[in-house]
Amino acid sequence: THVLSNLINSIKNYDARKSLEPFGRVLDEVKKSGRLNISDLVYEFGTDSDVSYGILEGPEFMGGKGLSQIRNSRIIRSRHLPNFDVPMGYGFSTLTWYHIQTGQVSVRDLEKEIADIVGRLEKRTGKRLGDPLNPLLLMARSGAVASMPGLLDTISHIGISRDTARTWSKTLKEPARAYQAYISFMLSYANSVLGLDTDYIVKESGFDSYVTVFREGMFIMMDAAEAIHEIMMEKSTSGSIPDDPMEQLCKSVIAVFRSFESDVVQKQTIHLGIPSPFQTGCLIQECVPILSADDCSGVFFTRNPNTGKIGTDVEEQIEYSDGFFGNVIADGAIRPVQLQIMLFHLWKYII
């Protein structure tokens, strides 16, 4: 019995060491550069990019979401898939916030790198952050080593303001879509950065959900946007929503990193055996807005959203909707359509 017990313990210790090896390799690779710069913790992705990151190319450094962007980009390029694209972006490593917490890089370093990233994205996309006629909208997306659905924050449609929405709407075939983007930004920013109860705010504005607002016409949506903004300002004790797009982005990125500090996330991290330096990454990615009822978006679930199981049929993992941004699916605000129906309606765009 004693020999068997020692053998079992040896196997457990071996498995533990084995599971930590990828993290150790990443840390060794990062240390090779000597004095760490925050740019060492940034990677590029998108269908237009073909950069290889060697040992760092894995969920430990990039987070699962960041790694998926790179893998999907390569699949699209290698197979020459028409009408498919991975929106352009840059990712901050899962190690970034740890290095800020420990003083190895500063928040000011982070802000400077964000500004550099915006400049590079403007060149790649041909759009400009804050441009009222053809705005570059961005997302700040969380992405930890392991999937944690609903536990980490994401802010969408960064770069829009009341004035931007008003001017941009005049250039669109469906002008109300500019206000749909504006309201989406306000709600995600208020929830993640200001810590407000956005369900309460929407109800206070006279609607049962933000999806109900999105189904309204242009002028009702304009009034709803004003009401939502005023209620947020009344309820917020953590400041207001800035009009400056760079300030919006910097505060959103920091909020994404800080969402990893919640007790629930910390317990999940310990349960999964993830070393403490590896927190959540943050992706700064072009946000492709919904501009017509013909546009669609969806969510790819790496786990069955109903059971939490991995390896279920693909029909249970991909959900989409016409005329709405993907957050309405992730939030459970509408009943999504399954993959088979999506393929039936969109086959001509895929083939």
Side-chain angles (χ1 to χ4, degrees):
T1 304
H2 180 67
V3 173
L4 180 59
S5 176
N6 284 340
L7 178 60
I8 291 171
N9 286 332
S10 295
I11 291 172
K12 286 181 177 179
N13 290 334
Y14 172 79
D15 287 342
R17 289 196 303 274
K18 196 74 173 174
S19 65
L20 291 175
E21 281 181 8
F23 298 101
R25 287 196 295 269
V26 166
L27 289 175
D28 290 341
E29 186 68 18
V30 170
K31 290 175 183 175
K32 279 184 181 179
S33 62
R35 186 177 182 279
L36 184 76
N37 295 311
I38 195 163
S39 58
D40 298 326
L41 301 174
V42 175
Y43 57 92
E44 176 183 291
F45 59 84
T47 319
D48 68 322
S49 175
D50 193 17
V51 183
S52 179
Y53 293 94
I55 291 173
L56 298 181
E57 204 164 287
E60 295 81 16
F61 181 80
M62 297 177 168
K65 196 173 293 178
L67 179 61
S68 293
Q69 307 305 308
I70 288 182
R71 284 180 172 172
N72 291 340
S73 298
R74 287 202 182 122
I75 290 170
I76 292 170
R77 282 196 310 273
S78 64
R79 299 186 182 180
H80 306 288
L81 297 176
N83 303 314
F84 277 85
D85 201 9
V86 171
M88 303 171 190
Y90 295 85
F92 283 100
S93 165
T94 58
L95 291 167
T96 304
W97 194 241
Y98 171 79
H99 283 86
I100 290 175
Q101 290 173 319
T102 54
Q104 298 177 65
V105 293
S106 67
V107 171
R108 180 60 183 151
D109 293 332
L110 176 67
E111 291 171 344
K112 288 180 179 178
E113 188 65 26
I114 290 172
D116 288 344
I117 284 172
V118 169
R120 282 175 266 165
L121 274 174
E122 288 179 337
K123 289 181 180 178
R124 290 171 68 190
T125 62
K127 300 177 182 179
R128 186 171 59 84
L129 188 68
D131 182 355
L133 298 177
N134 185 28
L136 171 62
L137 301 180
L138 298 172
M139 294 183 288
R141 309 179 68 194
S142 59
V145 174
S147 177
M148 298 183 184
L151 297 182
L152 298 171
D153 288 343
T154 287
I155 299 97
S156 68
H157 299 86
I158 299 166
I160 196 168
S161 65
R162 179 190 303 163
D163 291 340
T164 304
R166 185 184 301 115
T167 304
W168 186 34
S169 69
K170 297 174 184 177
T171 71
L172 300 179
K173 186 177 179 180
E174 297 183 23
R177 297 291 175 176
Y179 286 91
Q180 183 173 325
Y182 177 44
I183 292 170
S184 293
F185 164 67
M186 283 197 294
L187 293 176
S188 61
Y189 187 94
N191 178 62
S192 298
V193 182
L194 302 180
L196 297 176
D197 182 346
T198 51
D199 287 339
Y200 168 81
I201 289 171
V202 171
K203 287 182 171 61
E204 280 290 292
S205 71
F207 296 88
D208 59 353
S209 76
Y210 64 85
V211 174
T212 305
V213 180
F214 292 166
R215 296 187 192 280
E216 297 291 348
M218 168 75 169
F219 296 106
I220 293 179
M221 205 179 297
M222 288 175 66
D223 291 342
E226 287 296 318
I228 288 170
H229 185 271
E230 288 178 11
I231 295 167
M232 284 180 181
M233 296 306 96
E234 290 173 5
K235 300 298 179 183
S236 176
T237 59
S238 305
S240 59
I241 299 178
D243 288 331
D244 179 66
M246 192 62 71
E247 186 179 353
Q248 292 176 3
L249 181 58
C250 288
K251 288 185 175 179
S252 295
V253 169
I254 290 172
V256 167
F257 283 130
R258 285 187 170 153
S259 67
F260 194 85
E261 297 173 355
S262 76
D263 290 341
V264 175
V265 172
Q266 292 300 305
K267 289 177 182 177
Q268 180 78 343
T269 303
I270 293 170
H271 173 72
L272 293 171
I274 299 172
S276 58
F278 295 84
Q279 303 186 17
T280 183
C282 180
L283 278 59
I284 297 178
Q285 187 169 20
E286 182 183 8
C287 179
V288 182
I290 299 296
L291 297 181
S292 78
D294 294 329
D295 290 346
C296 73
S297 62
V299 177
F300 177 80
F301 292 95
T302 54
R303 294 173 181 264
N304 184 311
N306 297 314
T307 66
K309 292 182 179 178
I310 299 177
T312 54
D313 290 339
V314 71
E315 288 86 354
E316 295 178 314
Q317 295 183 14
I318 298 179
E319 298 178 341
Y320 98 108
S321 174
D322 287 323
F324 291 105
F325 196 70
N327 63 313
V328 300
I329 298 174
D331 292 346
I334 64 168
R335 184 178 180 84
V337 179
Q338 297 296 320
L339 175 64
Q340 290 168 321
I341 299 174
M342 180 185 82
L343 292 176
F344 176 78
H345 287 291
L346 302 179
W347 65 269
K348 61 183 177 181
Y349 300 106
I350 297 172
I351 296 177

